[in-house]
Amino acid sequence: MERRVIEIDQERCNGCGLCVNACAEGAIGLINGKARLLRDDYCDGLGNCLPACPQDAIHFKVREAAPFDETAVKRHMLQRAAQRRHELHEQKETAAPKPKGRVRRDEGAPVTALQQWPVQLQLVSAGAPYFDGADLLVAADCTAYARGNFHNDFMDGKITLIGCPKLDDTRYADKLLEIFKQHDIRSVTVTRMEVPCCGGIEYAVSQAIEASGKSIPLEVVTIGTNGEIKDSVKA
């Protein structure tokens, strides 16, 4: 069938990888330092990757192509997530020994608990398959800087979304509602700072859960500016 898919100009592409991160269907990969369309049936033709390219190397082309296959995309993304977990496990197993001359709390090199990209709430696609059956962490972005062990304490095993209701010009409740409506979210944890402006992110999550009509367990954890947990409330 003829349909619209992306085409990547290999001369213009500089291999930055921003389009790879922007594609929620995993249709783009880096091969030999250049972005390439991996499979026609992974490309939904919506073009989330186009504005992410700083080189203007991605454009639409109407040509003979396999139809978009949502089932294949979900399978592909699950395989990618499994591969990522395996790689993280391997990194933990082969972590470099503690360097001499500098005191560290960790015995090995720190390993990220991040399972997906992007993490900014305003950038994620509500239809991304990694939300299926996920335990969701919605974090005010300052919390990761205040809490030294944030990855292990909160991100491990969760899909992470971050934002700042004071600085971002985005209605978080609308984006979260779309995620809740399209996916079976198992639980939501909100991490916020003790400062008043962080109340916006907590309110947005509560509002979206209520509007979805679903019974999604919610926990709100408040972190102090010194990194200590001030409060933890389950709803």
Side-chain angles (χ1 to χ4, degrees):
M1 63 176 293
E2 281 197 352
R3 71 180 186 94
R4 187 172 71 168
V5 293
I6 62 163
E7 183 176 58
I8 304 173
D9 187 333
Q10 296 297 295
E11 293 297 322
R12 284 180 172 271
C13 177
N14 65 0
C16 68
L18 293 176
C19 59
V20 178
N21 297 332
C23 180
E25 288 73 33
I28 305 174
L30 287 180
I31 300 176
N32 296 326
K34 297 283 187 176
R36 297 184 185 274
L37 177 61
L38 301 179
R39 279 178 40 169
D40 289 352
D41 58 347
Y42 290 168
C43 179
D44 60 8
L46 297 179
N48 288 343
C49 54
L50 270 67
C53 179
Q55 300 297 111
D56 193 31
I58 308 176
H59 300 90
F60 284 124
K61 182 176 182 180
V62 177
R63 62 172 174 81
E64 193 71 24
F68 175 63
D69 188 338
E70 186 174 359
T71 300
V73 167
K74 288 184 177 181
R75 184 167 57 246
H76 171 56
M77 296 303 290
L78 288 172
Q79 289 172 347
R80 282 200 357 178
Q83 177 63 28
R84 178 60 178 159
R85 288 193 295 270
H86 175 73
E87 290 172 354
L88 291 176
H89 177 73
E90 289 295 313
Q91 291 174 20
K92 290 179 181 180
E93 292 295 320
T94 60
K98 181 173 64 175
K100 295 180 179 180
R102 184 176 179 181
V103 177
R104 294 176 56 97
R105 288 186 177 180
D106 299 335
E107 289 300 317
V111 178
T112 180
L114 188 63
Q115 296 190 40
Q116 95 291 340
W117 191 265
V119 294
Q120 284 282 354
L121 181 51
Q122 59 183 331
L123 297 181
V124 296
S125 169
Y130 49 71
F131 287 121
D132 292 335
D135 291 303
L136 197 62
L137 172 66
V138 182
D141 49 15
C142 292
T143 55
Y145 292 93
R147 183 78 176 174
N149 203 33
F150 191 81
H151 279 240
N152 290 332
D153 290 344
F154 297 105
M155 291 173 59
D156 193 20
K158 294 183 176 66
I159 295 298
T160 301
L161 301 176
I162 67 171
C164 176
K166 186 173 183 178
L167 300 179
D168 292 342
D169 185 20
T170 301
R171 279 189 53 81
Y172 291 146
D174 293 343
K175 175 62 75 68
L176 289 164
L177 176 58
E178 286 303 309
I179 293 172
F180 296 157
K181 286 167 59 177
Q182 295 184 42
H183 304 278
D184 181 22
I185 301 297
R186 295 193 302 182
S187 68
V188 180
T189 301
V190 174
T191 55
R192 55 160 296 181
M193 297 298 294
E194 60 181 334
V195 296
C197 60
C198 265
I201 204 162
E202 177 184 347
Y203 177 74
V205 173
S206 300
Q207 190 178 40
I209 291 177
E210 182 178 357
S212 74
K214 296 183 177 181
S215 179
I216 303 175
L218 171 64
E219 181 178 9
V220 178
V221 180
T222 302
I223 297 175
T225 54
N226 61 357
E228 293 182 356
I229 295 176
K230 296 289 187 178
D231 193 21
S232 179
V233 178
K234 293 183 179 181

